[in-house]
Amino acid sequence: MDTEARRRAKEHIMSWGSGGRRPAGVPGTSVATVVLADARHLDAVLASGLTGPGTLVFTPGPGDLAAGIVPYGGSLSEPGEDFALGEDFYLQTQDYSSSAFMSVLGPTVLRVFGPADFSAFLADADRAFTEGVFPEFLITPAVLLADTAALGGPRGADGPALRLYVDAEGRISLSPTGSPLGTVGDTLPDLLARYEHVNTASEAPCAVALGGAVPEETRTAALQVRPFLGRYLAAVKALRALTAQDIGGLKVSGFGHRVTDGLAAGTGGDLSDPDLPLVLWNAEQAYVVAGGRVFAADHAFAGAVECLLAGPDAAGLAPDPVLDRARAFLTERGLTLQTRIPVGAR
């Protein structure tokens, strides 16, 4: 496997694991990534039209890279197992609840395999929200959290058009822990219809990816009382990126801390919208994460951005000139905030 093919395969398998961003170069009419637990189902999957331009199918045993069929070894569905792509890339799958007690030795997918894992995930999110303490293992750059849309993250691109998993019995879902959407031989329109049907019946987004691991009523109840989970997952992603740059000791605005004196943590309009910019800081430097980019800033500027995000009650907590500078800085970069501060209210 040449360098470009390996890079593309890694991008697809990480997208498949998280249920997040669609890999580059895959048109919306094609399923991006299909993972087979058993090579016996390859012919049926190909014959059913689930693949198209840009699709990669990962199968145990022999493959055909020119046709988008990538051979792999190991497993992506069992905790403690490794997925091997050739001889130089290994991806371990680990259950969430054990991860706090294990060392990360390489690329690792953390997956919720059952209620205990789900409870551990919620406990970590709750502690981050109230105390500002994020689990070290989760912000390690080599770690990827699986099925984020089902855990309160943005639904985004997730669904049958992004990723499929075919288990050893030929059942098709989004992930190894997902509820079945069909069986080999079913077409993409069939799977999409069932996916929408399952989600319509749920009161929380993405009711499929964890449907085989956590009772839906349990998942829904937990997400409904934690509207900050999307923001939490966005903060985890930002912390992971900054940790990769050897930037540590960071606090995240709204999660147990605020830059601005007098602005309470755990409150504000920013905590339920994962798409808004994030403010992070340590003793030396502050950072604004927005639009997929990280901007270094001084603490006063970061505090002004924080006030713009939090809502009109925070408008008087930062000096007007700094608020104007923060607003202009973001606007120049196409990151205009839908601030809640009416003109003339300051």
Side-chain angles (χ1 to χ4, degrees):
M1 187 182 298
D2 63 29
T3 301
E4 176 57 27
R6 185 179 294 107
R7 182 205 61 77
R8 184 179 169 218
K10 289 180 183 178
E11 181 183 11
H12 274 255
I13 207 63
M14 299 306 245
S15 167
W16 177 87
S18 68
R21 185 175 59 87
R22 191 173 184 84
V26 184
T29 53
S30 297
V31 178
T33 311
V34 182
V35 171
L36 308 181
D38 193 316
R40 292 182 301 122
H41 303 302
L42 177 60
D43 289 343
V45 166
L46 296 177
S48 65
L50 291 180
T51 62
T55 303
L56 288 189
V57 180
F58 291 81
T59 181
D64 181 354
L65 295 177
I69 301 169
V70 183
Y72 76 89
S75 172
L76 284 160
S77 61
E78 296 295 331
E81 293 291 321
D82 284 338
F83 160 90
L85 187 64
E87 297 181 354
D88 60 356
F89 179 73
Y90 295 88
L91 178 67
Q92 185 176 75
T93 296
Q94 190 55 257
D95 59 292
Y96 187 96
S97 58
S98 296
S99 299
F101 310 105
M102 303 185 71
S103 298
V104 176
L105 301 178
T108 303
V109 172
L110 304 184
R111 189 174 293 282
V112 169
F113 281 99
D117 292 327
F118 188 58
S119 294
F121 165 77
L122 294 175
D124 285 340
D126 288 344
R127 187 183 184 204
F129 185 64
T130 57
E131 301 176 29
V133 178
F134 289 76
E136 289 293 328
F137 68 87
L138 194 55
I139 64 173
T140 301
V143 164
L144 179 74
L145 182 63
D147 307 321
T148 51
L151 294 171
R155 180 173 175 179
D158 205 6
L162 176 72
R163 57 176 183 148
L164 294 172
Y165 176 72
V166 184
D167 71 13
E169 286 70 46
R171 293 183 294 260
I172 300 178
S173 188
L174 298 186
S175 72
T177 53
S179 54
L181 295 173
T183 57
V184 288
D186 288 345
T187 66
L188 181 57
D190 292 335
L191 302 176
L192 287 168
R194 291 167 192 155
Y195 176 75
E196 295 300 331
H197 175 75
V198 173
N199 279 305
T200 299
S202 174
E203 296 182 11
C206 198
V208 173
L210 292 179
V214 180
E216 181 57 20
E217 60 271 19
T218 300
R219 190 189 73 93
T220 298
L223 268 58
Q224 287 181 328
V225 298
R226 293 173 175 85
F228 62 85
L229 283 176
R231 192 72 165 163
Y232 168 71
L233 292 172
V236 165
K237 184 178 179 180
L239 287 166
R240 192 181 294 140
L242 288 166
T243 300
Q245 300 178 43
D246 294 323
I247 300 170
L250 291 164
K251 298 175 182 178
V252 181
S253 177
F255 288 82
H257 307 280
R258 291 288 195 183
V259 183
T260 306
D261 290 339
L263 181 59
T267 62
D270 53 331
L271 292 173
S272 59
D273 189 343
D275 294 326
L276 289 176
L278 282 160
V279 173
L280 305 92
W281 74 98
N282 57 23
E284 294 78 30
Q285 184 74 64
Y287 303 89
V288 177
V289 179
R293 292 174 284 174
V294 179
F295 303 104
D298 59 42
H299 291 85
F301 177 86
V305 173
E306 176 184 71
C307 289
L308 290 174
L309 296 171
D313 292 342
L317 298 176
D320 287 355
V322 186
L323 283 170
D324 291 339
R325 183 163 60 92
R327 190 180 289 109
F329 178 88
L330 294 172
T331 300
E332 287 169 5
R333 288 157 178 79
L335 303 172
T336 304
L337 299 177
Q338 297 300 316
T339 64
R340 303 159 185 84
I341 304 174
V343 174
R346 294 179 293 148

